[in-house]
Amino acid sequence: MILRIFGRNRSNKQIVQRQYGVITATARQPCFFTDYGVPDTVMGRFEMLSVVMILFLGRTSKSSESGKQMAQEVVDAFFMDIDYSIRELGVGDNSVPKRMKKLAGMFYGRLERYMRCLQERDLEQLAIALAHNIHSDDGETSEMAELSRWMLENADHLEQTDEIVVETGMVSFLVPESMETGRV
């Protein structure tokens, strides 16, 4: 609704940029890489960005049509960002579509599994899924316990977020406990 009031192109772009900026700022919090067991690597950063995107999509899946449309545009920005990052890493133009397809499959697989765990409030299975995805088969589930708790706290927080906040691209996330109290 609110998107129609302001016009589609210019304000939508600003709303999407603002929301994607909050998502990426949340995913880049140093404590995820220092205290939560996520490796500070290209794939570790992809994993954290995926985690925050999944939390966002969990909330917007219950949104109005305009909220869902804005969420789709944020997802598009996410994949454009990944495409850009792959190219910046020196992957050749011919290989980018193949890599993008693989990363999209990874993301949507995580989306399904993490959302199921969050809906069932199953922190143990969520920690197992996170350990498997972030650390491959070598991952210790206990390393991901804090991250899984953080995800559930955010899912609960986002559940309480008013629809107008979603439609205007102002969804915020709780900061990890190892940081100051507040929101990103």
Side-chain angles (χ1 to χ4, degrees), residues 87-102:
R87 292 173 192 279
E88 284 292 304
L89 290 170
V91 174
D93 287 342
N94 293 335
S95 300
V96 170
K98 185 177 176 180
R99 297 249 179 135
M100 286 298 298
K101 185 176 180 179
K102 181 178 179 179

Side-chain angles (χ1 to χ4, degrees), residues 23-181:
I23 290 167
T24 57
T26 302
R28 291 178 180 159
Q29 294 299 312
C31 63
F32 290 125
F33 308 101
T34 58
D35 302 338
Y36 280 55
V38 179
D40 191 8
T41 62
V42 170
M43 285 310 295
R45 291 186 291 275
F46 168 79
E47 293 294 345
M48 277 312 306
L49 188 53
S50 295
V51 161
V52 180
M53 279 295 299
I54 288 166
L55 290 168
F56 174 74
L57 291 175
R59 169 56 182 90
T60 58
S61 69
K62 300 168 184 127
S63 288
S64 65
E65 192 56 40
S66 59
K68 287 179 182 176
Q69 181 178 352
M70 189 274 301
Q72 181 58 55
E73 291 180 42
V74 171
V75 169
D76 294 345
F78 168 65
F79 282 111
M80 286 174 37
D81 188 28
I82 291 172
D83 182 278
Y84 176 79
S85 296
I86 290 172
R87 292 173 192 279
E88 284 292 304
L89 290 170
V91 174
D93 287 342
N94 293 335
S95 300
V96 170
K98 185 177 176 180
R99 297 249 179 135
M100 286 298 298
K101 185 176 180 179
K102 181 178 179 179
L103 289 169
M106 291 168 58
F107 173 77
Y108 285 109
R110 284 157 174 72
L111 174 65
E112 183 179 324
R113 186 159 182 204
Y114 295 172
M115 287 309 302
R116 184 177 48 242
C117 291
L118 289 168
Q119 289 165 350
E120 295 171 1
R121 304 185 71 77
D122 190 340
L123 290 178
E124 183 179 340
Q125 286 301 310
L126 182 57
I128 290 169
L130 288 165
H132 174 75
N133 292 328
I134 293 173
H135 297 288
S136 300
D137 295 326
D138 302 333
E140 278 292 319
T141 303
S142 61
E143 284 185 330
M144 296 292 104
E146 283 298 313
L147 183 56
S148 61
R149 276 193 290 277
W150 179 82
M151 288 179 70
L152 185 59
E153 288 172 9
N154 268 278
D156 291 344
H157 162 72
L158 293 171
E159 186 75 29
Q160 304 302 315
T161 302
D162 191 59
E163 186 62 23
I164 193 72
V165 173
V166 174
E167 291 179 1
T168 56
M170 299 180 76
V171 172
S172 65
F173 299 85
L174 300 173
V175 296
E177 285 182 19
S178 60
M179 297 183 58
E180 294 179 35
T181 305

